[in-house]
mmCIF file of all heavy atoms in Angstrom:
data_model
loop_
_atom_site.group_PDB
_atom_site.id
_atom_site.type_symbol
_atom_site.label_atom_id
_atom_site.label_comp_id
_atom_site.label_asym_id
_atom_site.label_seq_id
_atom_site.Cartn_x
_atom_site.Cartn_y
_atom_site.Cartn_z
ATOM 1 N N THR A 1 108.299 7.022 48.979
ATOM 2 C CA THR A 1 109.021 5.787 48.719
ATOM 3 C C THR A 1 108.042 4.606 48.741
ATOM 4 O O THR A 1 106.926 4.695 49.305
ATOM 5 C CB THR A 1 110.101 5.540 49.756
ATOM 6 O OG1 THR A 1 110.872 4.372 49.419
ATOM 7 C CG2 THR A 1 109.583 5.373 51.143
ATOM 8 N N ASN A 2 108.440 3.531 48.141
ATOM 9 C CA ASN A 2 107.681 2.247 48.174
ATOM 10 C C ASN A 2 108.350 1.247 49.145
ATOM 11 O O ASN A 2 107.840 0.156 49.323
ATOM 12 C CB ASN A 2 107.558 1.643 46.811
ATOM 13 C CG ASN A 2 106.725 2.479 45.883
ATOM 14 O OD1 ASN A 2 105.733 3.074 46.276
ATOM 15 N ND2 ASN A 2 107.148 2.561 44.612
ATOM 16 N N ASP A 3 109.432 1.654 49.778
ATOM 17 C CA ASP A 3 110.238 0.720 50.602
ATOM 18 C C ASP A 3 109.975 1.032 52.073
ATOM 19 O O ASP A 3 110.221 2.139 52.577
ATOM 20 C CB ASP A 3 111.714 1.008 50.286
ATOM 21 C CG ASP A 3 112.648 0.017 50.988
ATOM 22 O OD1 ASP A 3 112.539 -0.154 52.227
ATOM 23 O OD2 ASP A 3 113.498 -0.596 50.292
ATOM 24 N N GLU A 4 109.423 0.029 52.765
ATOM 25 C CA GLU A 4 109.070 0.217 54.185
ATOM 26 C C GLU A 4 110.280 0.508 55.045
ATOM 27 O O GLU A 4 110.199 1.266 56.000
ATOM 28 C CB GLU A 4 108.307 -1.012 54.694
ATOM 29 C CG GLU A 4 107.785 -0.800 56.116
ATOM 30 C CD GLU A 4 107.014 -2.023 56.602
ATOM 31 O OE1 GLU A 4 107.004 -3.087 55.899
ATOM 32 O OE2 GLU A 4 106.364 -1.931 57.663
ATOM 33 N N THR A 5 111.405 -0.126 54.740
ATOM 34 C CA THR A 5 112.601 0.119 55.540
ATOM 35 C C THR A 5 113.064 1.586 55.460
ATOM 36 O O THR A 5 113.382 2.178 56.456
ATOM 37 C CB THR A 5 113.731 -0.841 55.110
ATOM 38 O OG1 THR A 5 113.315 -2.199 55.296
ATOM 39 C CG2 THR A 5 114.997 -0.598 55.927
ATOM 40 N N LEU A 6 113.077 2.090 54.211
ATOM 41 C CA LEU A 6 113.415 3.475 54.043
ATOM 42 C C LEU A 6 112.410 4.392 54.734
ATOM 43 O O LEU A 6 112.785 5.411 55.343
ATOM 44 C CB LEU A 6 113.484 3.814 52.541
ATOM 45 C CG LEU A 6 114.626 3.173 51.728
ATOM 46 C CD1 LEU A 6 114.434 3.483 50.255
ATOM 47 C CD2 LEU A 6 115.973 3.663 52.214
ATOM 48 N N TYR A 7 111.137 4.029 54.618
ATOM 49 C CA TYR A 7 110.079 4.826 55.249
ATOM 50 C C TYR A 7 110.297 4.972 56.758
ATOM 51 O O TYR A 7 110.229 6.069 57.356
ATOM 52 C CB TYR A 7 108.732 4.173 54.981
ATOM 53 C CG TYR A 7 107.557 4.716 55.794
ATOM 54 C CD1 TYR A 7 107.159 6.029 55.577
ATOM 55 C CD2 TYR A 7 106.887 3.901 56.670
ATOM 56 C CE1 TYR A 7 106.085 6.551 56.302
ATOM 57 C CE2 TYR A 7 105.817 4.360 57.361
ATOM 58 C CZ TYR A 7 105.408 5.702 57.202
ATOM 59 O OH TYR A 7 104.316 6.193 57.903
ATOM 60 N N LYS A 8 110.609 3.883 57.392
ATOM 61 C CA LYS A 8 110.847 3.923 58.880
ATOM 62 C C LYS A 8 112.076 4.790 59.248
ATOM 63 O O LYS A 8 112.085 5.491 60.270
ATOM 64 C CB LYS A 8 111.027 2.534 59.410
ATOM 65 C CG LYS A 8 109.679 1.743 59.427
ATOM 66 C CD LYS A 8 109.827 0.360 60.030
ATOM 67 C CE LYS A 8 108.499 -0.374 60.081
ATOM 68 N NZ LYS A 8 108.614 -1.727 60.657
ATOM 69 N N LYS A 9 113.099 4.746 58.413
ATOM 70 C CA LYS A 9 114.257 5.592 58.631
ATOM 71 C C LYS A 9 113.887 7.068 58.486
ATOM 72 O O LYS A 9 114.307 7.921 59.272
ATOM 73 C CB LYS A 9 115.370 5.217 57.687
ATOM 74 C CG LYS A 9 116.030 3.879 57.960
ATOM 75 C CD LYS A 9 117.125 3.593 56.943
ATOM 76 C CE LYS A 9 117.796 2.250 57.176
ATOM 77 N NZ LYS A 9 118.848 1.988 56.181
ATOM 78 N N LEU A 10 113.115 7.383 57.468
ATOM 79 C CA LEU A 10 112.693 8.726 57.205
ATOM 80 C C LEU A 10 111.904 9.308 58.387
ATOM 81 O O LEU A 10 112.073 10.446 58.747
ATOM 82 C CB LEU A 10 111.894 8.812 55.888
ATOM 83 C CG LEU A 10 112.665 8.513 54.606
ATOM 84 C CD1 LEU A 10 111.651 8.253 53.473
ATOM 85 C CD2 LEU A 10 113.592 9.679 54.250
ATOM 86 N N LEU A 11 111.048 8.530 58.944
ATOM 87 C CA LEU A 11 110.278 8.954 60.084
ATOM 88 C C LEU A 11 111.178 9.329 61.239
ATOM 89 O O LEU A 11 111.000 10.313 61.945
ATOM 90 C CB LEU A 11 109.281 7.859 60.532
ATOM 91 C CG LEU A 11 108.111 7.563 59.636
ATOM 92 C CD1 LEU A 11 107.321 6.382 60.153
ATOM 93 C CD2 LEU A 11 107.179 8.800 59.526
ATOM 94 N N LEU A 12 112.228 8.510 61.469
ATOM 95 C CA LEU A 12 113.165 8.786 62.543
ATOM 96 C C LEU A 12 113.960 10.093 62.302
ATOM 97 O O LEU A 12 114.064 10.934 63.139
ATOM 98 C CB LEU A 12 114.153 7.668 62.718
ATOM 99 C CG LEU A 12 113.665 6.386 63.451
ATOM 100 C CD1 LEU A 12 114.732 5.325 63.350
ATOM 101 C CD2 LEU A 12 113.347 6.693 64.895
ATOM 102 N N TYR A 13 114.453 10.238 61.046
ATOM 103 C CA TYR A 13 115.311 11.380 60.747
ATOM 104 C C TYR A 13 114.544 12.692 60.771
ATOM 105 O O TYR A 13 115.116 13.762 60.978
ATOM 106 C CB TYR A 13 116.002 11.188 59.395
ATOM 107 C CG TYR A 13 116.949 9.980 59.395
ATOM 108 C CD1 TYR A 13 117.022 9.157 58.279
ATOM 109 C CD2 TYR A 13 117.710 9.681 60.531
ATOM 110 C CE1 TYR A 13 117.891 8.064 58.285
ATOM 111 C CE2 TYR A 13 118.542 8.595 60.536
ATOM 112 C CZ TYR A 13 118.624 7.790 59.408
ATOM 113 O OH TYR A 13 119.464 6.677 59.402
ATOM 114 N N ARG A 14 113.204 12.622 60.541
ATOM 115 C CA ARG A 14 112.394 13.853 60.616
ATOM 116 C C ARG A 14 112.243 14.365 62.039
ATOM 117 O O ARG A 14 112.059 15.554 62.198
ATOM 118 C CB ARG A 14 110.998 13.552 60.042
ATOM 119 C CG ARG A 14 110.023 14.720 60.117
ATOM 120 C CD ARG A 14 108.709 14.415 59.529
ATOM 121 N NE ARG A 14 107.912 13.433 60.216
ATOM 122 C CZ ARG A 14 106.734 12.984 59.853
ATOM 123 N NH1 ARG A 14 106.191 13.439 58.704
ATOM 124 N NH2 ARG A 14 106.074 12.054 60.539
ATOM 125 N N ALA A 15 112.290 13.493 62.996
ATOM 126 C CA ALA A 15 111.967 13.907 64.361
ATOM 127 C C ALA A 15 113.011 13.427 65.379
ATOM 128 O O ALA A 15 112.736 12.600 66.240
ATOM 129 C CB ALA A 15 110.552 13.359 64.745
ATOM 130 N N HIS A 16 114.245 13.950 65.225
ATOM 131 C CA HIS A 16 115.295 13.782 66.243
ATOM 132 C C HIS A 16 115.817 12.358 66.385
ATOM 133 O O HIS A 16 116.648 12.108 67.272
ATOM 134 C CB HIS A 16 114.804 14.292 67.610
ATOM 135 C CG HIS A 16 114.269 15.646 67.615
ATOM 136 N ND1 HIS A 16 115.042 16.784 67.653
ATOM 137 C CD2 HIS A 16 112.945 16.102 67.578
ATOM 138 C CE1 HIS A 16 114.291 17.856 67.642
ATOM 139 N NE2 HIS A 16 113.009 17.470 67.589
ATOM 140 N N GLY A 17 115.348 11.437 65.576
ATOM 141 C CA GLY A 17 115.736 10.033 65.763
ATOM 142 C C GLY A 17 114.962 9.408 66.919
ATOM 143 O O GLY A 17 115.369 8.354 67.440
ATOM 144 N N ILE A 18 113.849 10.041 67.273
ATOM 145 C CA ILE A 18 113.051 9.564 68.431
ATOM 146 C C ILE A 18 111.884 8.716 67.922
ATOM 147 O O ILE A 18 111.251 9.035 66.926
ATOM 148 C CB ILE A 18 112.552 10.776 69.259
ATOM 149 C CG1 ILE A 18 113.723 11.388 70.020
ATOM 150 C CG2 ILE A 18 111.422 10.401 70.198
ATOM 151 C CD1 ILE A 18 113.418 12.669 70.759
ATOM 152 N N THR A 19 111.599 7.655 68.689
ATOM 153 C CA THR A 19 110.467 6.774 68.331
ATOM 154 C C THR A 19 109.634 6.373 69.561
ATOM 155 O O THR A 19 110.183 6.318 70.693
ATOM 156 C CB THR A 19 111.002 5.503 67.655
ATOM 157 O OG1 THR A 19 109.861 4.711 67.225
ATOM 158 C CG2 THR A 19 111.858 4.646 68.571
ATOM 159 N N ARG A 20 108.396 6.134 69.343
ATOM 160 C CA ARG A 20 107.505 5.502 70.345
ATOM 161 C C ARG A 20 107.114 4.135 69.914
ATOM 162 O O ARG A 20 106.265 3.499 70.550
ATOM 163 C CB ARG A 20 106.261 6.368 70.548
ATOM 164 C CG ARG A 20 106.574 7.737 71.175
ATOM 165 C CD ARG A 20 105.272 8.560 71.407
ATOM 166 N NE ARG A 20 105.566 9.841 71.966
ATOM 167 C CZ ARG A 20 105.623 10.137 73.250
ATOM 168 N NH1 ARG A 20 105.428 9.176 74.115
ATOM 169 N NH2 ARG A 20 105.902 11.347 73.643
ATOM 170 N N ASP A 21 107.689 3.620 68.836
ATOM 171 C CA ASP A 21 107.390 2.305 68.301
ATOM 172 C C ASP A 21 108.188 1.266 69.177
ATOM 173 O O ASP A 21 109.424 1.191 69.093
ATOM 174 C CB ASP A 21 107.823 2.186 66.830
ATOM 175 C CG ASP A 21 107.455 0.877 66.193
ATOM 176 O OD1 ASP A 21 107.208 -0.082 66.908
ATOM 177 O OD2 ASP A 21 107.497 0.819 64.952
ATOM 178 N N GLU A 22 107.451 0.493 69.948
ATOM 179 C CA GLU A 22 108.122 -0.471 70.857
ATOM 180 C C GLU A 22 108.951 -1.496 70.103
ATOM 181 O O GLU A 22 109.958 -2.009 70.678
ATOM 182 C CB GLU A 22 107.053 -1.151 71.730
ATOM 183 C CG GLU A 22 106.391 -0.267 72.749
ATOM 184 C CD GLU A 22 105.514 -1.012 73.726
ATOM 185 O OE1 GLU A 22 105.719 -2.229 73.902
ATOM 186 O OE2 GLU A 22 104.575 -0.386 74.257
ATOM 187 N N SER A 23 108.579 -1.806 68.879
ATOM 188 C CA SER A 23 109.350 -2.782 68.133
ATOM 189 C C SER A 23 110.749 -2.309 67.786
ATOM 190 O O SER A 23 111.636 -3.099 67.467
ATOM 191 C CB SER A 23 108.595 -3.210 66.846
ATOM 192 O OG SER A 23 108.531 -2.089 65.942
ATOM 193 N N LEU A 24 110.948 -0.986 67.853
ATOM 194 C CA LEU A 24 112.276 -0.429 67.533
ATOM 195 C C LEU A 24 113.081 -0.084 68.766
ATOM 196 O O LEU A 24 114.259 0.262 68.669
ATOM 197 C CB LEU A 24 112.071 0.887 66.712
ATOM 198 C CG LEU A 24 111.356 0.719 65.360
ATOM 199 C CD1 LEU A 24 111.182 2.075 64.711
ATOM 200 C CD2 LEU A 24 112.126 -0.213 64.448
ATOM 201 N N MET A 25 112.483 -0.189 69.955
ATOM 202 C CA MET A 25 113.141 0.244 71.197
ATOM 203 C C MET A 25 114.169 -0.822 71.643
ATOM 204 O O MET A 25 114.067 -2.015 71.386
ATOM 205 C CB MET A 25 112.142 0.475 72.289
ATOM 206 C CG MET A 25 111.240 1.677 72.034
ATOM 207 S SD MET A 25 110.033 1.947 73.374
ATOM 208 C CE MET A 25 109.139 3.373 72.703
ATOM 209 N N GLU A 26 115.185 -0.340 72.368
ATOM 210 C CA GLU A 26 116.210 -1.219 72.914
ATOM 211 C C GLU A 26 115.989 -1.515 74.400
ATOM 212 O O GLU A 26 116.646 -2.445 74.929
ATOM 213 C CB GLU A 26 117.587 -0.548 72.719
ATOM 214 C CG GLU A 26 117.946 -0.353 71.258
ATOM 215 C CD GLU A 26 119.318 0.217 71.034
ATOM 216 O OE1 GLU A 26 120.092 0.169 72.001
ATOM 217 O OE2 GLU A 26 119.598 0.660 69.918
ATOM 218 N N HIS A 27 115.136 -0.747 75.061
ATOM 219 C CA HIS A 27 114.817 -1.021 76.493
ATOM 220 C C HIS A 27 113.320 -1.189 76.678
ATOM 221 O O HIS A 27 112.551 -0.809 75.846
ATOM 222 C CB HIS A 27 115.330 0.213 77.338
ATOM 223 C CG HIS A 27 116.756 0.477 77.144
ATOM 224 N ND1 HIS A 27 117.806 -0.413 77.396
ATOM 225 C CD2 HIS A 27 117.409 1.642 76.700
ATOM 226 C CE1 HIS A 27 118.966 0.150 77.147
ATOM 227 N NE2 HIS A 27 118.727 1.371 76.710
ATOM 228 N N GLU A 28 113.028 -1.778 77.819
ATOM 229 C CA GLU A 28 111.635 -1.987 78.189
ATOM 230 C C GLU A 28 111.021 -0.622 78.549
ATOM 231 O O GLU A 28 111.561 0.156 79.349
ATOM 232 C CB GLU A 28 111.556 -2.925 79.427
ATOM 233 C CG GLU A 28 110.163 -3.362 79.814
ATOM 234 C CD GLU A 28 109.541 -4.324 78.777
ATOM 235 O OE1 GLU A 28 110.331 -5.026 78.082
ATOM 236 O OE2 GLU A 28 108.307 -4.374 78.683
ATOM 237 N N PRO A 29 109.851 -0.273 77.977
ATOM 238 C CA PRO A 29 109.217 1.001 78.259
ATOM 239 C C PRO A 29 108.864 1.096 79.734
ATOM 240 O O PRO A 29 108.399 0.122 80.375
ATOM 241 C CB PRO A 29 107.972 0.982 77.397
ATOM 242 C CG PRO A 29 108.263 0.036 76.303
ATOM 243 C CD PRO A 29 109.123 -1.008 76.914
ATOM 244 N N ASP A 30 109.025 2.300 80.332
ATOM 245 C CA ASP A 30 108.627 2.583 81.687
ATOM 246 C C ASP A 30 107.115 2.783 81.808
ATOM 247 O O ASP A 30 106.563 2.597 82.893
ATOM 248 C CB ASP A 30 109.320 3.843 82.222
ATOM 249 C CG ASP A 30 110.843 3.704 82.280
ATOM 250 O OD1 ASP A 30 111.283 2.525 82.384
ATOM 251 O OD2 ASP A 30 111.531 4.697 82.251
ATOM 252 N N GLY A 31 106.482 3.211 80.717
ATOM 253 C CA GLY A 31 105.051 3.466 80.767
ATOM 254 C C GLY A 31 104.634 3.999 79.410
ATOM 255 O O GLY A 31 105.417 4.075 78.448
ATOM 256 N N SER A 32 103.353 4.424 79.328
ATOM 257 C CA SER A 32 102.851 4.867 78.045
ATOM 258 C C SER A 32 103.446 6.176 77.556
ATOM 259 O O SER A 32 103.350 6.512 76.377
ATOM 260 C CB SER A 32 101.317 5.083 78.196
ATOM 261 O OG SER A 32 101.045 6.053 79.223
ATOM 262 N N TRP A 33 104.118 6.885 78.439
ATOM 263 C CA TRP A 33 104.804 8.151 78.044
ATOM 264 C C TRP A 33 106.177 7.916 77.395
ATOM 265 O O TRP A 33 106.804 8.789 76.850
ATOM 266 C CB TRP A 33 105.076 9.032 79.291
ATOM 267 C CG TRP A 33 106.003 8.351 80.296
ATOM 268 C CD1 TRP A 33 107.322 8.390 80.299
ATOM 269 C CD2 TRP A 33 105.592 7.488 81.371
ATOM 270 N NE1 TRP A 33 107.848 7.636 81.310
ATOM 271 C CE2 TRP A 33 106.795 7.085 82.026
ATOM 272 C CE3 TRP A 33 104.381 7.082 81.870
ATOM 273 C CZ2 TRP A 33 106.788 6.258 83.146
ATOM 274 C CZ3 TRP A 33 104.396 6.245 83.021
ATOM 275 C CH2 TRP A 33 105.563 5.853 83.606
ATOM 276 N N TYR A 34 106.671 6.668 77.486
ATOM 277 C CA TYR A 34 108.074 6.383 77.221
ATOM 278 C C TYR A 34 108.400 6.500 75.691
ATOM 279 O O TYR A 34 107.582 6.129 74.833
ATOM 280 C CB TYR A 34 108.355 4.954 77.621
ATOM 281 C CG TYR A 34 109.820 4.563 77.529
ATOM 282 C CD1 TYR A 34 110.749 4.979 78.460
ATOM 283 C CD2 TYR A 34 110.252 3.739 76.456
ATOM 284 C CE1 TYR A 34 112.077 4.589 78.357
ATOM 285 C CE2 TYR A 34 111.583 3.348 76.340
ATOM 286 C CZ TYR A 34 112.503 3.788 77.318
ATOM 287 O OH TYR A 34 113.815 3.400 77.246
ATOM 288 N N TYR A 35 109.561 6.981 75.392
ATOM 289 C CA TYR A 35 110.066 7.045 74.020
ATOM 290 C C TYR A 35 111.592 6.933 74.086
ATOM 291 O O TYR A 35 112.182 7.100 75.139
ATOM 292 C CB TYR A 35 109.655 8.315 73.301
ATOM 293 C CG TYR A 35 110.105 9.589 73.962
ATOM 294 C CD1 TYR A 35 111.372 10.139 73.709
ATOM 295 C CD2 TYR A 35 109.304 10.312 74.846
ATOM 296 C CE1 TYR A 35 111.822 11.288 74.325
ATOM 297 C CE2 TYR A 35 109.715 11.494 75.445
ATOM 298 C CZ TYR A 35 110.974 11.970 75.179
ATOM 299 O OH TYR A 35 111.398 13.126 75.789
ATOM 300 N N GLU A 36 112.206 6.610 72.946
ATOM 301 C CA GLU A 36 113.648 6.469 72.899
ATOM 302 C C GLU A 36 114.204 7.241 71.683
ATOM 303 O O GLU A 36 113.559 7.258 70.626
ATOM 304 C CB GLU A 36 114.085 4.998 72.766
ATOM 305 C CG GLU A 36 113.878 4.214 74.038
ATOM 306 C CD GLU A 36 114.369 2.782 73.918
ATOM 307 O OE1 GLU A 36 114.736 2.371 72.762
ATOM 308 O OE2 GLU A 36 114.445 2.092 74.956
ATOM 309 N N GLN A 37 115.416 7.798 71.867
ATOM 310 C CA GLN A 37 116.180 8.233 70.701
ATOM 311 C C GLN A 37 117.126 7.113 70.294
ATOM 312 O O GLN A 37 117.962 6.704 71.055
ATOM 313 C CB GLN A 37 116.970 9.515 71.028
ATOM 314 C CG GLN A 37 117.767 9.994 69.813
ATOM 315 C CD GLN A 37 118.701 11.170 70.061
ATOM 316 O OE1 GLN A 37 118.577 11.803 71.094
ATOM 317 N NE2 GLN A 37 119.574 11.422 69.132
ATOM 318 N N ILE A 38 116.901 6.647 69.094
ATOM 319 C CA ILE A 38 117.696 5.469 68.589
ATOM 320 C C ILE A 38 118.573 5.833 67.434
ATOM 321 O O ILE A 38 119.290 4.966 66.912
ATOM 322 C CB ILE A 38 116.746 4.298 68.268
ATOM 323 C CG1 ILE A 38 115.802 4.661 67.119
ATOM 324 C CG2 ILE A 38 115.958 3.831 69.496
ATOM 325 C CD1 ILE A 38 114.992 3.464 66.589
ATOM 326 N N ALA A 39 118.497 7.046 66.977
ATOM 327 C CA ALA A 39 119.340 7.545 65.852
ATOM 328 C C ALA A 39 119.535 9.044 66.044
ATOM 329 O O ALA A 39 118.839 9.682 66.883
ATOM 330 C CB ALA A 39 118.700 7.253 64.519
ATOM 331 N N LEU A 40 120.440 9.635 65.292
ATOM 332 C CA LEU A 40 120.626 11.062 65.332
ATOM 333 C C LEU A 40 119.817 11.670 64.182
ATOM 334 O O LEU A 40 120.176 11.564 63.018
ATOM 335 C CB LEU A 40 122.076 11.439 65.166
ATOM 336 C CG LEU A 40 122.370 12.952 65.248
ATOM 337 C CD1 LEU A 40 121.963 13.535 66.570
ATOM 338 C CD2 LEU A 40 123.860 13.222 64.975
ATOM 339 N N GLY A 41 118.694 12.262 64.583
ATOM 340 C CA GLY A 41 117.815 12.887 63.555
ATOM 341 C C GLY A 41 117.810 14.397 63.762
ATOM 342 O O GLY A 41 118.609 15.001 64.445
ATOM 343 N N TYR A 42 116.813 15.026 63.161
ATOM 344 C CA TYR A 42 116.690 16.501 63.149
ATOM 345 C C TYR A 42 115.275 16.920 63.403
ATOM 346 O O TYR A 42 114.347 16.092 63.330
ATOM 347 C CB TYR A 42 117.172 17.074 61.790
ATOM 348 C CG TYR A 42 118.638 16.754 61.511
ATOM 349 C CD1 TYR A 42 119.035 15.554 61.061
ATOM 350 C CD2 TYR A 42 119.596 17.743 61.759
ATOM 351 C CE1 TYR A 42 120.381 15.271 60.842
ATOM 352 C CE2 TYR A 42 120.933 17.479 61.571
ATOM 353 C CZ TYR A 42 121.297 16.234 61.069
ATOM 354 O OH TYR A 42 122.659 16.003 60.841
ATOM 355 N N ASN A 43 115.067 18.171 63.745
ATOM 356 C CA ASN A 43 113.673 18.675 63.813
ATOM 357 C C ASN A 43 113.313 19.184 62.447
ATOM 358 O O ASN A 43 113.412 20.381 62.111
ATOM 359 C CB ASN A 43 113.555 19.790 64.858
ATOM 360 C CG ASN A 43 112.128 20.273 64.992
ATOM 361 O OD1 ASN A 43 111.238 19.802 64.291
ATOM 362 N ND2 ASN A 43 111.907 21.208 65.831
ATOM 363 N N TYR A 44 112.882 18.261 61.591
ATOM 364 C CA TYR A 44 112.454 18.584 60.212
ATOM 365 C C TYR A 44 110.960 18.476 60.056
ATOM 366 O O TYR A 44 110.423 18.233 58.964
ATOM 367 C CB TYR A 44 113.159 17.647 59.239
ATOM 368 C CG TYR A 44 114.594 17.995 58.945
ATOM 369 C CD1 TYR A 44 115.448 17.080 58.365
ATOM 370 C CD2 TYR A 44 115.110 19.273 59.187
ATOM 371 C CE1 TYR A 44 116.768 17.395 58.015
ATOM 372 C CE2 TYR A 44 116.418 19.608 58.897
ATOM 373 C CZ TYR A 44 117.236 18.683 58.300
ATOM 374 O OH TYR A 44 118.518 19.007 57.991
ATOM 375 N N ARG A 45 110.207 18.688 61.159
ATOM 376 C CA ARG A 45 108.759 18.544 61.102
ATOM 377 C C ARG A 45 108.103 19.715 60.378
ATOM 378 O O ARG A 45 108.692 20.795 60.332
ATOM 379 C CB ARG A 45 108.177 18.389 62.491
ATOM 380 C CG ARG A 45 108.617 17.131 63.198
ATOM 381 C CD ARG A 45 108.159 17.044 64.655
ATOM 382 N NE ARG A 45 108.688 18.200 65.413
ATOM 383 C CZ ARG A 45 108.857 18.190 66.741
ATOM 384 N NH1 ARG A 45 108.596 17.101 67.416
ATOM 385 N NH2 ARG A 45 109.274 19.275 67.351
ATOM 386 N N ILE A 46 106.913 19.510 59.911
ATOM 387 C CA ILE A 46 106.080 20.541 59.273
ATOM 388 C C ILE A 46 104.887 20.776 60.163
ATOM 389 O O ILE A 46 104.446 19.879 60.914
ATOM 390 C CB ILE A 46 105.677 20.076 57.828
ATOM 391 C CG1 ILE A 46 105.019 21.199 57.071
ATOM 392 C CG2 ILE A 46 104.805 18.837 57.900
ATOM 393 C CD1 ILE A 46 104.733 20.844 55.610
ATOM 394 N N THR A 47 104.334 21.988 60.134
ATOM 395 C CA THR A 47 103.184 22.295 60.950
ATOM 396 C C THR A 47 101.860 21.813 60.318
ATOM 397 O O THR A 47 101.828 21.653 59.063
ATOM 398 C CB THR A 47 103.090 23.798 61.233
ATOM 399 O OG1 THR A 47 102.734 24.477 59.995
ATOM 400 C CG2 THR A 47 104.357 24.334 61.772
#
């Protein structure tokens, strides 16, 4: 895609709706290990 908004959604849907991008998080991170599920995605990753 050429659309950044679509791109960010695709990244979420590929990996369980989980992100480590602080700009997308709803809570303050507990530490460098922190991540959030912000959508319902799937395990569509490739090896």
Side-chain angles (χ1 to χ4, degrees):
T1 185
N2 294 322
D3 187 307
E4 185 178 10
T5 300
L6 292 173
Y7 169 64
K8 289 182 176 180
K9 290 179 180 179
L10 293 164
L11 290 174
L12 283 174
Y13 297 141
R14 176 177 67 182
H16 307 280
I18 287 174
T19 184
R20 293 181 182 272
D21 184 345
E22 291 188 23
S23 68
L24 300 177
M25 292 180 183
E26 297 184 16
H27 304 301
E28 188 71 24
D30 294 337
S32 59
W33 64 86
Y34 186 79
Y35 59 86
E36 288 183 351
Q37 181 184 346
I38 61 172
L40 183 60
Y42 296 80
N43 182 359
Y44 280 164
R45 295 174 302 205
I46 189 174
T47 68

